[in-house]
Amino acid sequence: MEENNASGGRQPLRQKVLPLILTVLVVVADQVTKALVVAKIPRLSLFSDDGVICVLGDYVRLIHVRNKAVAFSMGSGLPADIRLVLFSCIPLVLIVLLFVFYFRNNEFSPLQRWAICGILGGGIGNLIDRFFRPDGVVDFIDCYFFGLFGMERWPTFNVADSAVVVCIVLFALTFFSQMRKSKED
């Protein structure tokens, strides 16, 4: 099955479906690593460093923390009902809309399609935690940040967070590159 794209060419449906492999891989990698962390690393306590696993000295560590908020723990003080709507229901709707937009749009480059699928995988990975882990999203990668922006350590993150950030940057770079190229033509 083929579809017309904006330039009048044809875009096979498999070009849209194949990148969904990345979505599945990100979700699986995210959930497997989180399950291992939950099973093998005790939750970090303010009173003990038990369970801190140094990977690259103090620069990269594995720890087990939970986050009921979003990036940088923003919104952690909000009531539970509001957090459910803001951090679970709205992202779920956005992911569904992104899937629809992804399949209806014929102008994305192959690299942009892969980037979008990585973003979707990361979003789904964290949504699984939000709906099925009442203690919050499992975060476990802890990096030293050299005091930049007043932070000794970067906020703890996970595989899903990494996929979202890397793929957003990749998408933005390709998008701006296309815009620059179209202005030159």
Side-chain angles (χ1 to χ4, degrees):
M1 174 181 244
E2 296 184 8
E3 300 176 1
N4 289 327
N5 68 14
S7 62
R10 297 210 157 286
Q11 187 173 41
L13 183 60
R14 76 177 142 76
Q15 283 185 342
K16 292 181 178 183
V17 174
L18 187 63
L20 292 172
I21 292 170
L22 181 59
T23 302
V24 173
L25 289 175
V26 169
V27 171
V28 169
D30 179 62
Q31 291 301 305
V32 166
T33 55
K34 288 173 179 175
L36 288 170
V37 166
V38 169
K40 303 289 183 186
I41 302 174
R43 284 173 81 170
L44 189 63
S45 163
L46 291 174
F47 308 108
S48 169
D49 278 346
D50 288 347
V52 174
I53 300 171
C54 295
V55 177
L56 293 172
D58 197 39
Y59 295 103
V60 177
R61 308 181 311 181
L62 299 180
I63 62 174
H64 177 179
V65 296
R66 299 294 179 103
N67 185 0
K68 290 187 177 186
V70 292
F72 304 102
S73 295
M74 290 186 298
S76 59
L78 293 172
D81 293 345
I82 293 175
R83 281 197 319 262
L84 174 68
V85 171
L86 288 178
F87 307 146
S88 299
C89 297
I90 291 174
L92 178 61
V93 169
L94 292 175
I95 286 172
V96 169
L97 291 174
L98 185 56
F99 263 115
V100 170
F101 183 66
Y102 173 85
F103 278 104
R104 288 193 175 176
N105 186 303
N106 292 316
E107 297 179 20
F108 292 132
S109 71
L111 187 55
Q112 287 172 328
R113 290 202 176 280
W114 285 91
I116 291 168
C117 286
I119 294 165
L120 287 167
I124 292 167
N126 279 335
L127 270 183
I128 290 170
D129 279 24
R130 293 199 186 284
F131 285 114
F132 298 106
R133 293 187 195 272
D135 290 341
V137 174
V138 176
D139 287 330
F140 58 91
I141 304 168
D142 178 58
C143 299
Y144 183 69
F145 203 58
F146 305 97
L148 297 172
F149 306 113
M151 296 188 299
E152 191 64 27
R153 303 201 72 78
W154 187 256
T156 308
F157 58 98
N158 56 47
V159 171
D161 298 334
S162 301
V164 169
V165 170
V166 168
C167 290
I168 284 174
V169 169
L170 182 61
F171 184 85
L173 289 173
T174 60
F175 178 77
F176 290 122
S177 174
Q178 280 182 339
M179 284 183 58
R180 190 183 82 230
K181 196 177 210 181
S182 67
K183 284 182 181 180
E184 291 173 357
D185 291 340

